[in-house]
Amino acid sequence: MVATPQKPAYKVIGTRPVRPDGVDKVTGRAAYGADVVLEGMLFGSVLRSPHAHARIKRIDTSKALALPGVKAIITNADFPAQESGTLDLGEGSANPKWLVDNVLAGDKVLYHGHAVAAVAAVDWHTAEEALGLIDVEYELLPFVINVREAMLDAAPILHHDLRTNVRARNVDTPKDRETNVAMHMRVEKGDLAAGFAEADIVIEREFTTSQFHQGYIEPQNGTAHWNHDGQITVWTSTQGAFSVRDQVATLLNQPVARIKVVPMEIGGGFGGKIPVYLEPVAALLSKKTGHPLKMWMSREAVFQATGPTSATWNRVKIGAKRDGTLVAADVSLCFAAGAYPGSAVGAGVLCALAPYAIPNQRIDGFDVVTNTPKTAAYRAPGAPAAEYAVEATVDEIARALDMDPLDLRLKNAPEEGDTNSSGAPWPRIGAKAVITAIKESAHYNSEIQGDNVGRGIALGFWFNGGMESSSSVAVNPDGSVSLILGSTDIGGTRASLAMQLAEALGVPYEAIKPQVVDTDSIGYTAVTGGSRTTFAGGWVAYDLGQEIRKRLTERAARIWGVDISTVTYHDDAMITGTDKDGKEQRFTFEEICRRLPSTGGHIAVSAMSRRNTAGPAYAGHIADVKVDRETGKVTVLRYTAVQDVGTAIHPSYVEGQIQGGAAQGIGMALQEEYWYDDQGHLRNGSFLDYRMPVANDLQPIEVILVEVPNPGHPFGVRGVGEVPIVPPQAAIRNALRDAIGVNFYHTPVTPTRILDELLPRA
Amino acid sequence: MATSERLVITATINGDERTFLADSRDSLLEALRERLDLKGVKEGCNNGNCGACAVILDGRLVNSCCVMAAEIEGSRVETVEGLAGPEALHPLQQCFLEGAALQCGICTPGFLMSSKALLAENPAPTDEEVRFWLAGNLCRCTGYDKIIEAVQAAAEQMRAQK
Ligand code: FES
Ligand code: FES
């Protein structure tokens, strides 16, 4: 770990305790969404579209309803009608009209696997059997999968009422005709023409990326009970219980007071478990049948109908001076949103050039609908594709100038006070610290040897989120502290927040008992996503810690009969003072807690925090690869991820986030992608054919933590989860150029694509 | 159309003889989860590609989603629920915990059972052997490094205990 001078001597932060939910998770006791069992529970299943684009002419459920054991069947018509609007999801937003049509298709199916109808039955087999008895008549429509084709004037139109939302000045994008382009945005600063005129070299390249899936191992699920008194309870694996509550309330047209969401343990999300799919359907089926009802998706349905990222088509033009100064950049990003508008292109626009201080720049973003599943957030949504294109182009500039690629990046790295793409000044950031740490790393200073072996580097940037978190605490007479959380724990949240409260109070980690609760039991808390949870939850823990310190100090003053100003709460949780007789007094934390019941009562406090001081994250990865010229197989020989983490609260989980994110990025770089056939059918909706990295695809991912504390957080936390997925595609692509002399312009670089380049063409 | 039959099945589950009623269409995964309430056995794909449902059947590692419940009559099945002793966790469980070898934890039961089967066969594997053996278990959160390290730490403890 690279230490920074500002870091205080923490007692709990920086240690590696066992997580509070750990034993349940290694013994199989932890209850995930699919593990819910309720008295009288029914099972639900969903019929999905066999077509990429079709009008639903008729749905006949009579045969299915006649099957013994089938209790109810619903379609889109069973949902209340929705007006167009905006529903905040926490990480992104949704139009309720589109959200309900995605949950169960309206008059058209818009992608292969689009949900059409849902069945409730006494058991899962019966529900599945009933699906085969539902008769749907479709009128096939022309479809479009590819983002570039979807933008053409002659493209099949998905939504006839869609017009381009133009968020750019001085552009000729039409706003008044049928289109698949839902949005065109532009961010610019400086003088682009003057910038390029100053440049000694200009390199312009075009890139495409395939569609990737988050690949969480636990499929989506949802259990609901619509009680006879109108109260609706939903049990689900989600990144945001409150987000589910709000979405379900909107889609069912019910007040939020009627809905309680119980977040179960969640088996991975990576952004994909924010939108609802099954929960509102389960609720409606429960209402229709009077029973609680559980649903979960098959893996094929997960691939067909949830999650994926945008397939993208991007152009980058960068101008540089001979000394390596980057003077101008013109970037255009086209992201396929899937069936309904709302890709992550906006974040892509703001991230694309963030690793560089380039004075003259313009970035255009286009959000485009296609006959593919509606995209969802995926770890640093929008950033990987955008930054891949820029990092690949910058590498070509370094080559053209015969400059070390790291030196070029260091020369142009932004620092505090420089402005970002939208013109706002950067706060304290670790871009240069990361590049310097790469330069000093053992990996970067090692030799690479052999034929067809190469090394590449790439940088990555992500904003990190702030948003809203709530918690409450109760101080117990035995000196333990209950910590109630609204954030679902997707990989160590209970531990990282308990550690921050322990640090704030000066008590051992073991004294804190964290618990994640339902939406009726805690204040509003935004999603576990956007790398925000350790940051925002940490702020709340800190605020609560300060309040408890104050109240315990007051209590001691009262017991000693003195003014509070004469009593001190020390950082080791010792309270000292002089009583009214002038005698020196002290309480340990346990001692004062023991006195609470008899000196005025227990202490309980709640707090909410919404601060916008999240610290941006920079990362840099080094990849060594070897190419087998016979088979096209790429082996990653060595991989190092360097990242400014602000402060590592629990270093093992920080390393784990970085290793996991890098592994996903390596999957994008080399092996994962959606395959559609000429009918617009997804052909690889299984873990066998959508090839995520397995243990023997990877070598150890070395991690170097750089700590540039975030001045906007009491413990310097920045948020670490997302940025590690950003650099791998470009790092590996640049390493391949070094290894075999070929520049690739598409990810993933599969063996087939390598052989296409290496083998003489017939 | 699929036809179903009710079956009465008797098997030894985590050391205890159990008799239960199953649907002839039930996989072992469904039987364990739905009929025997062993919810520690996880479903990630239901077609043999993720290892979340891994159990040990008569000493052999299997994906329980790819075994029919009807096939286990008279067999011995070990699941994650049988791994810990009354006093202490199994060394693999303890090392996974201490080594932060889980993030979301959905893959963990499968990894624990796979690792147990590995160490029964090969008590002193190389890292490469661990990686190859565990290639049938998907983990999307960790990037595998901490899992490999935890398995090696447990292997060392188990060798020392012998
Ligand atoms: S659920 Fe059995 S292998 Fe995935
Ligand atoms: S810990 Fe989440 S899949 Fe392995």
Side-chain angles (χ1 to χ4, degrees):
Chain A
M1 205 180 296
V2 179
T4 48
Q6 304 98 314
K7 190 176 173 181
Y10 294 125
K11 295 190 192 68
V12 179
I13 288 171
T15 63
R16 302 174 188 240
V18 164
R19 58 200 277 178
D21 50 324
V23 169
D24 281 352
K25 284 181 176 160
V26 297
T27 55
R29 281 185 193 292
Y32 293 76
D35 302 336
V36 173
V37 177
L38 300 165
E39 203 70 36
M41 186 170 82
L42 301 175
F43 293 79
S45 209
V46 170
L47 180 70
R48 294 182 181 279
S49 167
H51 306 299
H53 195 189
R55 191 171 309 287
I56 299 175
K57 298 190 72 176
R58 187 177 55 86
I59 303 179
D60 180 355
T61 58
S62 54
K63 263 195 242 141
L65 279 168
L67 184 72
V70 172
K71 298 289 186 184
I73 298 178
I74 58 167
T75 65
N76 177 282
D78 291 275
F79 278 97
Q82 292 291 341
E83 296 293 316
S84 233
T86 308
L87 177 63
D88 182 23
L89 301 188
E91 209 177 22
S93 60
N95 180 335
K97 192 163 139 271
W98 293 327
L99 189 60
V100 71
D101 284 356
N102 193 41
V103 162
L104 281 177
D107 57 340
K108 293 204 292 183
V109 288
L110 292 163
Y111 53 93
H112 177 219
H114 197 160
V116 172
V119 177
V122 289
D123 61 33
W124 181 75
H125 290 292
T126 307
E128 289 277 300
E129 199 178 328
L131 298 182
L133 298 174
I134 300 175
D135 188 18
V136 186
E137 191 185 329
Y138 294 102
E139 175 195 333
L140 293 196
L141 299 169
F143 61 88
V144 60
I145 301 291
N146 183 284
V147 58
R148 201 164 164 171
E149 288 165 16
M151 295 174 81
L152 298 175
D153 285 343
I157 294 291
L158 274 76
H159 305 280
H160 291 284
D161 55 352
L162 186 70
R163 300 291 178 272
T164 308
N165 172 12
V166 179
R167 288 159 51 189
R169 264 168 303 172
N170 308 325
V171 295
D172 49 13
T173 309
K175 300 178 193 172
D176 51 2
R177 63 168 194 226
E178 290 195 357
T179 178
N180 292 320
V181 180
M183 191 264 292
H184 173 194
M185 71 181 285
R186 170 174 287 183
V187 167
E188 54 192 328
K189 67 172 184 183
D191 181 337
L192 201 63
F196 279 116
E198 252 184 274
D200 296 311
I201 64 158
V202 175
I203 290 189
E204 183 171 5
R205 297 287 183 263
E206 197 173 302
F207 301 86
T208 50
T209 62
S210 287
Q211 216 169 359
F212 307 114
H213 196 273
Q214 291 82 345
Y216 34 79
I217 306 301
E218 176 204 42
Q220 259 85 0
N221 54 72
T223 302
H225 184 210
W226 195 313
N227 213 342
H228 290 93
D229 61 4
Q231 291 294 323
I232 303 162
T233 309
V234 174
W235 295 260
T236 185
S237 304
T238 175
Q239 291 175 242
F242 285 88
S243 173
V244 170
R245 183 191 69 176
D246 296 351
Q247 292 178 71
V248 169
T250 302
L251 296 189
L252 299 177
N253 197 17
Q254 294 288 319
V256 291
R258 284 266 176 91
I259 298 168
K260 174 167 98 175
V261 176
V262 184
M264 306 302 293
E265 297 300 336
I266 171 172
F270 313 109
K273 288 195 185 140
I274 298 174
V276 295
Y277 299 95
L278 300 176
E279 296 89 338
V281 175
L284 265 192
L285 285 171
S286 173
K287 184 182 189 198
K288 257 202 148 162
T289 58
H291 285 264
L293 176 134
K294 175 159 83 174
M295 309 180 78
W296 69 93
M297 280 193 196
S298 69
R299 178 53 55 182
E300 188 180 30
V302 170
F303 278 116
Q304 286 179 343
T306 76
T309 63
S310 295
T312 72
W313 166 44
N314 308 315
R315 273 181 304 104
V316 176
K317 179 178 168 189
I318 297 180
K321 292 214 207 174
R322 205 157 286 122
D323 69 354
T325 309
L326 305 180
V327 286
D330 185 6
V331 176
S332 156
L333 308 174
C334 303
F335 279 35
Y340 303 96
S343 70
V345 71
V349 162
L350 295 174
C351 288
L353 295 171
Y356 302 101
I358 303 177
N360 308 296
Q361 51 175 267
R362 179 171 79 189
I363 313 162
D364 283 285
F366 297 86
D367 185 46
V368 184
V369 292
T370 51
N371 291 110
T372 58
K374 168 69 183 78
T375 55
Y378 179 16
R379 211 168 197 155
E387 296 185 51
Y388 152 72
V390 170
E391 283 301 277
T393 308
V394 166
D395 227 64
E396 294 196 32
I397 289 180
R399 266 179 201 282
L401 293 172
D402 200 20
M403 250 182 108
D404 178 274
L406 208 49
D407 289 339
L408 179 78
R409 286 172 168 88
L410 186 58
K411 190 176 180 68
N412 292 285
E415 53 193 359
E416 187 169 358
D418 287 343
T419 59
N420 64 19
S421 293
S422 39
W426 287 115
R428 192 187 303 161
I429 48 174
K432 287 195 167 162
V434 164
I435 298 170
T436 308
I438 295 176
K439 228 177 158 148
E440 290 166 358
S441 68
H443 185 171
Y444 199 70
N445 289 295
S446 67
E447 291 285 321
I448 40 169
Q449 282 158 358
D451 294 337
N452 306 310
V453 168
R455 174 171 295 165
I457 57 155
L459 301 180
F461 164 85
W462 179 248
F463 292 98
N464 294 330
M467 302 194 268
E468 196 165 326
S469 282
S470 300
S471 285
S472 50
V473 288
V475 181
N476 302 310
D478 64 353
S480 66
V481 181
S482 317
L483 171 62
I484 309 297
L485 304 170
S487 289
T488 51
D489 186 342
I490 205 161
T493 304
R494 290 179 183 89
S496 76
L497 299 183
M499 289 172 77
Q500 293 182 79
L501 180 58
E503 189 73 51
L505 286 173
V507 302
Y509 164 74
E510 293 72 21
I512 314 292
K513 303 282 165 214
Q515 206 196 133
V516 179
V517 296
D518 63 70
T519 52
D520 278 359
S521 308
I522 186 74
Y524 188 89
T525 299
V527 296
T528 297
S531 301
R532 62 169 289 279
T533 311
T534 308
F535 166 84
W539 256 120
V540 182
Y542 175 82
D543 289 345
L544 288 167
Q546 298 311 305
E547 183 61 24
I548 293 170
R549 287 170 81 128
K550 194 176 116 219
R551 297 214 191 170
L552 290 175
T553 310
E554 278 166 8
R555 193 63 62 90
R558 192 183 318 159
I559 293 170
W560 294 332
V562 295
D563 189 79
I564 184 174
S565 61
T566 67
V567 179
T568 311
Y569 188 115
H570 299 270
D571 280 344
D572 58 357
M574 184 74 79
I575 303 175
T576 61
T578 311
D579 67 15
K580 59 180 185 309
D581 303 326
K583 216 168 121 216
E584 278 191 18
Q585 293 286 2
R586 59 173 47 211
F587 281 128
T588 64
F589 190 79
E590 284 82 3
E591 283 165 353
I592 186 121
C593 290
R594 211 177 300 138
R595 302 280 297 267
L596 290 177
S598 59
T599 58
H602 297 78
I603 290 176
V605 195
S606 302
M608 183 284 283
S609 166
R610 178 153 93 182
R611 286 168 166 100
N612 58 4
T613 54
Y618 281 88
H621 291 191
I622 318 166
D624 292 358
V625 301
K626 183 177 173 59
V627 178
D628 180 333
R629 296 187 86 97
E630 300 274 308
T631 63
K633 182 177 159 53
V634 176
T635 305
V636 177
L637 299 171
R638 186 172 181 185
Y639 200 94
T640 300
V642 183
Q643 186 173 320
D644 170 20
V645 300
T647 299
I649 300 295
H650 190 305
S652 294
Y653 285 110
V654 171
E655 291 158 8
Q657 287 291 327
I658 293 172
Q659 290 166 331
Q664 287 179 321
I666 293 170
M668 291 171 160
L670 294 172
Q671 57 191 69
E672 297 179 26
E673 68 182 316
Y674 268 35
W675 273 99
Y676 294 94
D677 65 14
D678 57 7
Q679 301 299 305
H681 293 165
L682 178 67
R683 293 306 297 269
N684 62 336
S686 82
F687 278 145
L688 185 65
D689 297 319
Y690 182 90
R691 269 279 282 131
M692 308 193 319
V694 297
N696 66 338
D697 286 332
L698 299 168
Q699 287 300 310
I701 293 164
E702 298 165 44
V703 175
I704 298 175
L705 303 182
V706 177
E707 294 191 306
V708 180
N710 171 14
H713 191 273
F715 301 120
V717 168
R718 280 184 189 277
V720 298
E722 286 169 294
V723 75
I725 203 172
V726 180
Q729 292 180 72
I732 287 177
R733 179 262 187 205
N734 295 342
L736 288 169
R737 165 66 182 80
D738 194 37
I740 56 173
V742 178
N743 278 313
F744 289 91
Y745 296 99
H746 177 86
T747 57
V749 187
T750 56
T752 319
R753 293 193 176 103
I754 299 232
L755 291 182
D756 277 349
E757 294 294 335
L758 292 185
L759 293 181
R761 279 162 226 266
Chain B
M1 187 186 300
T3 51
S4 76
E5 249 178 78
R6 299 278 129 178
L7 303 173
V8 177
I9 297 169
T10 301
T12 305
I13 313 287
N14 293 328
D16 295 325
E17 191 177 286
R18 301 282 300 269
T19 298
F20 59 96
L21 193 62
D23 187 310
S24 57
R25 295 171 295 190
D26 283 355
S27 65
L28 175 56
L29 169 63
E30 286 177 88
L32 292 169
R33 285 181 57 84
E34 305 300 330
R35 316 281 171 196
L36 293 162
D37 207 22
L38 292 168
K39 296 270 195 300
V41 188
K42 298 301 180 195
E43 175 183 327
C45 67
N46 209 13
N47 57 9
N49 293 313
C50 77
C53 66
V55 300
I56 297 174
L57 174 62
D58 291 329
R60 279 183 51 220
L61 182 67
V62 297
N63 285 329
S64 62
C65 67
C66 293
V67 175
M68 295 308 287
E71 295 177 69
I72 69 156
E73 177 65 37
S75 294
R76 273 177 306 114
V77 180
E78 296 164 61
T79 74
V80 70
E81 285 89 347
L83 209 47
E87 306 264 289
L89 296 174
H90 187 279
L92 277 163
Q93 293 171 310
Q94 193 61 39
C95 292
F96 268 58
L97 265 187
E98 286 169 4
L102 55 140
Q103 284 176 33
C104 79
I106 198 83
C107 67
T108 309
F111 271 98
L112 290 168
M113 298 315 286
S114 285
S115 305
K116 184 178 185 224
L118 162 67
L119 298 183
E121 197 159 295
N122 180 359
T126 63
D127 284 358
E128 224 35 46
E129 286 169 334
V130 178
R131 282 183 185 272
F132 269 82
W133 182 278
L134 294 180
N137 290 80
L138 284 174
C139 174
R140 191 58 155 175
C141 298
T142 63
Y144 303 104
D145 289 343
K146 295 204 185 306
I147 294 176
I148 312 297
E149 288 160 20
V151 172
Q152 291 292 32
E156 202 179 313
Q157 274 184 27
M158 288 163 70
R159 289 195 299 270
Q161 279 166 14
K162 283 233 172 98

